[in-house]
Amino acid sequence: MLYKWKSNLRHSRRSEVDYGRLRFRVAENLDRSDSELRSMSEDLIGECRGKQELTRPQLLLGLELGALAIQRTFGFLPHDVQVLAATESARGRIVEMKTGEGKTVVAALTAYLLGLFGQGVHVATTNDYLAERDCKLVSPFFDRLGMKVGLLERTGADRRNREANACDVTYGPGYQFGFDFLIDQITLRRAEEGGLGRTLLDSLNDHDLTEQLIQVRGHGCTVIDEADSVLIDEATTPLILSGGLPKIADPQPYVLAKRVVEQLEAGSHFDFGPARQIYFTERGKQLILDAIERHARLPLDRPWINYIENALRAKFFFHRDEHYVVLEGKIRIVDQFTGRIFDDRTWQHGLQQAVEAKEGLTIYAPTASQARITRQRYYQKYKRLTGMSGTVLEVASEFGHVYRARVVSIPTHVPCKRKVLPTRFFRDWETKLASLSADVQQRHSRGQPILIGTRTIRESCRVVESLSRCGIQATLLNGVQDAEEAEIVAQAGWRGAVTVATNMAGRGTDIKLGEHVLEAGGLHVIGTEPHSSNRIDQQLIGRCARQGDPGSAQFYVSAEDEFLVTRAPNLSREIARSCDVSGDCRNAFSLSLLKAQRREEQRQFQVRQQLIRQDNWLDEVRRSIAHAH
């Protein structure tokens, strides 16, 4: 059997691997049986168990066995840049690999190398769909190497998650690992509250507390796919575990607050600050005070002004089919980074109830918070943290400061052929949508597949309706029908396909091109609106022109886009002024837009820093209380 190792990688001083020798050893062992491969791997696991680092011979053998298992599982051998990425990841680096370079395979190979230590490896993804997809995909790979792999389920499946964590490698969404940790902390806290007598009684009855914990292996190693999403973007909010069954709340204060807000006028009664702070005028304060005085016996769980502020935020800042959807008479939050709908998430401090009142739904009482932890604090618990993404260099300093992790860049296997066309700017959404639809018509007529990325569910529906009026039937993927996600993504690269998707298609999706698509120019990606972070825009662009295929991308921006209106109002007005009578803008504002996104990214960084400081302050308070007792 002839074997050629695919390589265009020059010698790198970072690498500890002799690629020529590794290629030779893999070629020599291609004819080994599966049982021999498994036996060699189990011997290596026994040799490395309990250690903290791999020797060069152990690393070389681990890469060799991993490459052989990849070939037998997926039908191809990893190329040098994938081996380099796995080597760097196994050393505790965050690696930047461009989209389409095979991060799923690299994550599996990294997890195998780290699994040799026998401490357990957590492979964290951005959502449960990707975790399940990747786990099923790589399970035969780990089985060939004598390692067990498990998959986490959502909170509430404690026994099954305990079994999954007992495996050598565990796949799951990043937030679920954090929630399982919080459940374990509650278990430990209850045991401590039981006192010494309870602990002694449990030991006499052979009740081992560790058998009740979900994360039975602790926090040895973690491999984080889309590391900037899990560790940076989502780290602006802590993980909060609430308990108790939902109870119907007294709706009176929330309904009254909604009615009062309907009487308030911006400028006359209140104003919004740059970070959405609310400032009431004297007239506004008096109107609010009069309302509560007329209802002196109203049952309040918090200051009356908080009800008004939440009702204002619910009216002006939280929009249906953008921040939430209504399913089966209940509010379901839409994740702003992934576009996915979560059944078990709620807003805190009365905001959830304010939105329920706004929509005229049954209002449920807030559930008590049982435990919380920031994502930063949780992931700092791992002895070895590593990960990968296509967009991490821009936040390398934060990775170093918060997680003490270095970022390294991995070259592409073959040169990228992507064409990023200049961003187009428009006065309003309607003008932008008309121009976008005309472009789609022209490309669709020659059979080019098109992926249109929208920021919200509402926008995705508007785009589909506009295309339908042009005679184009588009496939919609926006979280409401996520059960068909795999099928929709699989067909998005077919000739003539038009797919409209929210951020669900922005990360982790690998769109395969169908027949005769290369001649049509490959996949064309259209972004309908800029996000608050340019990294999210780059992830959408990265869906096209993968692994050397042709492809193109272009963004359409209007002065009415939410990011510009709320975060860069001066730029919004400048774009509107520069448009001609048709609503099309001939001036280039790409640099100004990028600067606005950089400012917002810096603001989000400050939010994350404040969250860390708050977490440290709470720790000091807890220690002081414990010391006092």
Side-chain angles (χ1 to χ4, degrees):
M1 177 179 180
L2 294 177
Y3 165 66
K4 183 179 180 180
W5 188 284
K6 298 179 181 179
S7 174
N8 72 337
L9 183 67
R10 296 180 180 179
H11 174 71
S12 171
R13 286 184 297 176
R14 289 198 309 262
S15 176
E16 297 180 2
V17 179
D18 182 336
Y19 291 97
R21 178 170 172 75
L22 180 59
R23 290 193 293 271
F24 177 77
R25 287 178 52 161
V26 170
E28 271 194 330
N29 289 286
L30 277 175
D31 293 330
R32 287 187 180 273
S33 66
D34 278 357
S35 60
E36 288 179 302
L37 176 64
R38 186 185 183 99
S39 178
M40 293 173 65
S41 178
E42 289 174 345
D43 289 343
L44 181 60
I45 293 171
E47 181 182 333
C48 300
R49 187 175 301 277
K51 295 185 178 180
Q52 300 299 318
E53 297 292 341
L54 299 176
T55 64
R56 289 195 179 189
Q58 290 169 343
L59 175 62
L60 187 62
L61 179 56
L63 290 171
E64 174 192 340
L65 297 175
L68 289 169
I70 288 171
Q71 193 276 332
R72 296 179 189 192
T73 302
F74 305 110
F76 63 85
L77 284 154
H79 45 73
D80 282 6
V81 295
Q82 290 175 320
V83 175
L84 172 62
T87 304
E88 292 293 330
S89 295
R91 296 174 63 195
R93 308 285 191 255
I94 305 291
V95 301
E96 176 165 291
M97 293 185 71
K98 298 304 179 185
T99 55
E101 290 296 300
K103 289 191 286 293
T104 300
V105 170
V106 172
L109 183 53
T110 302
Y112 170 65
L113 294 175
L114 295 177
L116 296 173
F117 299 129
Q119 301 173 353
V121 181
H122 292 169
V123 182
T125 65
T126 55
N127 57 71
D128 50 4
Y129 163 74
L130 292 177
E132 183 177 1
R133 184 202 68 179
D134 291 354
C135 184
K136 289 180 179 178
L137 187 67
V138 302
S139 288
F141 163 80
F142 286 107
D143 184 62
R144 283 187 165 92
L145 295 168
M147 284 189 179
K148 293 182 178 180
V149 61
L151 175 66
L152 292 187
E153 299 183 23
R154 291 194 174 185
T155 301
D158 296 359
R159 182 184 60 81
R160 290 190 293 275
N161 284 0
R162 187 179 301 116
E163 293 172 354
N165 273 285
C167 295
D168 301 292
V169 178
T170 308
Y171 276 76
Y175 56 81
Q176 191 58 56
F177 287 108
F179 283 133
D180 286 348
F181 169 78
L182 292 178
I183 293 172
D184 284 348
Q185 294 308 297
I186 292 173
T187 301
L188 293 171
R189 186 191 309 159
R190 287 172 178 168
E192 291 176 357
E193 291 171 353
L196 181 61
R198 176 67 186 215
T199 305
L200 177 60
L201 184 61
D202 285 343
S203 66
L204 292 174
N205 292 326
D206 292 328
H207 291 164
D208 187 354
L209 180 61
T210 58
E211 293 180 357
Q212 302 176 35
L213 300 181
I214 299 174
Q215 294 183 338
V216 291
R217 286 176 174 263
H219 298 84
C221 307
T222 182
V223 181
I224 305 173
D225 190 19
E226 304 298 350
D228 57 327
S229 177
V230 174
L231 298 177
I232 302 296
D233 295 332
E234 296 179 9
T236 54
T237 55
L239 294 167
I240 301 175
L241 187 67
S242 300
L245 296 175
K247 299 179 181 178
I248 296 177
D250 188 333
Q252 294 183 77
Y254 303 102
V255 173
L256 177 60
K258 175 189 172 184
R259 291 173 182 169
V260 171
V261 163
E262 290 171 351
Q263 303 173 42
L264 299 179
E265 297 179 2
S268 176
H269 298 104
F270 69 93
D271 279 307
F272 293 118
R276 294 184 172 180
Q277 305 101 321
I278 300 174
Y279 301 100
F280 293 102
T281 65
E282 290 303 320
R283 288 186 61 193
K285 291 177 182 177
Q286 188 60 50
L287 192 154
I288 295 168
L289 183 61
D290 291 344
I292 192 61
E293 286 181 347
R294 289 195 300 270
H295 299 81
R297 296 184 179 181
L298 200 65
L300 300 179
D301 295 325
R302 53 178 56 87
W304 169 236
I305 194 66
N306 289 358
Y307 288 89
I308 299 296
E309 290 174 341
N310 279 330
L312 277 170
R313 291 189 175 96
K315 179 179 179 179
F316 289 98
F317 299 141
F318 289 82
H319 308 299
R320 187 168 179 168
D321 293 335
E322 179 177 350
H323 301 96
Y324 64 91
V325 296
V326 178
L327 296 175
E328 299 177 350
K330 294 183 179 181
I331 298 294
R332 296 289 183 256
I333 294 177
V334 179
D335 187 276
Q336 296 300 293
F337 297 108
T338 66
R340 296 177 187 277
I341 298 170
F342 289 91
D343 296 334
D344 50 3
R345 290 189 183 182
T346 58
W347 289 301
Q348 301 292 309
H349 310 302
L351 179 59
Q352 179 84 11
Q353 291 69 36
V355 175
E356 290 169 341
K358 167 190 171 182
E359 293 292 342
L361 304 175
T362 300
I363 300 175
Y364 290 90
T367 53
S369 173
Q370 294 183 317
R372 75 185 293 277
I373 191 171
T374 61
R375 285 172 169 83
Q376 296 92 328
R377 177 62 61 86
Y378 174 71
Y379 281 103
Q380 287 170 353
K381 293 182 175 297
Y382 285 94
K383 298 174 184 176
R384 186 171 308 216
L385 179 146
T386 184
M388 56 212 65
S389 175
T391 48
V392 292
L393 283 180
E394 294 179 16
V395 285
S397 60
E398 188 168 353
F399 276 117
H401 175 69
V402 177
Y403 302 103
R404 294 193 178 94
R406 277 185 53 197
V407 172
V408 296
S409 179
I410 305 297
T412 58
H413 174 52
V414 293
C416 180
K417 298 179 181 178
R418 182 182 303 123
K419 295 180 181 179
V420 181
L421 305 176
T423 299
R424 297 188 61 182
F425 295 89
F426 302 86
R427 177 184 294 117
D428 51 47
W429 239 92
E430 291 303 323
T431 308
K432 175 175 68 173
L433 197 54
S435 182
L436 183 153
S437 299
D439 183 36
V440 171
Q441 272 188 304
Q442 188 268 332
R443 294 179 182 276
H444 180 66
S445 65
R446 65 170 185 257
Q448 185 175 21
I450 301 166
L451 171 66
I452 304 173
T454 68
R455 193 179 57 82
T456 69
I457 294 174
R458 183 174 64 251
E459 290 166 8
S460 69
C461 295
R462 290 180 65 182
V463 172
V464 169
E465 291 173 2
S466 176
L467 294 176
S468 179
R469 290 192 293 269
C470 298
I472 298 174
Q473 298 302 312
T475 303
L476 184 61
L477 177 63
N478 60 15
V480 177
Q481 72 297 69
D482 57 357
E484 301 93 35
E485 177 173 358
E487 183 179 353
I488 292 173
V489 171
Q491 297 176 4
W494 292 6
R495 182 176 176 84
V498 179
T499 308
V500 181
T502 57
N503 287 348
M504 292 179 69
R507 284 185 185 267
T509 53
D510 187 13
I511 299 174
K512 304 292 185 183
L513 301 185
E515 294 183 1
H516 310 298
V517 168
L518 298 181
E519 306 93 276
L523 180 68
H524 181 65
V525 172
I526 296 176
T528 64
E529 188 171 344
H531 291 82
S532 59
S533 171
N534 181 255
R535 287 181 293 105
I536 302 177
D537 293 343
Q538 294 304 312
Q539 285 287 344
L540 176 62
I541 290 173
R543 297 312 101 193
C544 70
R546 299 159 73 90
Q547 301 178 11
D549 289 336
S552 54
Q554 188 171 32
F555 264 81
Y556 285 68
V557 178
S558 85
E560 293 181 344
D561 290 347
E562 193 269 347
F563 171 70
L564 294 180
V565 172
T566 60
R567 296 301 181 190
N570 291 336
L571 178 57
S572 173
R573 289 189 288 269
E574 189 176 353
I575 292 173
R577 285 195 301 266
S578 301
C579 291
D580 56 27
V581 292
S582 68
D584 198 343
C585 183
R586 300 302 177 185
N587 293 350
F589 289 98
S590 297
L591 183 57
S592 299
L593 174 60
L594 181 61
K595 289 180 178 178
Q597 289 176 314
R598 291 284 187 264
R599 288 194 297 270
E600 177 60 17
E601 289 168 357
Q602 181 62 28
R603 191 187 72 83
Q604 291 294 326
F605 170 74
Q606 295 298 335
V607 171
R608 293 190 291 271
Q609 291 298 102
Q610 178 61 32
L611 196 61
I612 294 174
R613 288 192 289 269
Q614 181 184 5
D615 215 33
N616 291 336
W617 176 79
L618 287 173
D619 274 355
E620 291 179 5
V621 171
R622 293 189 191 101
R623 283 195 293 267
S624 299
I625 293 174
H627 181 71
H629 288 285

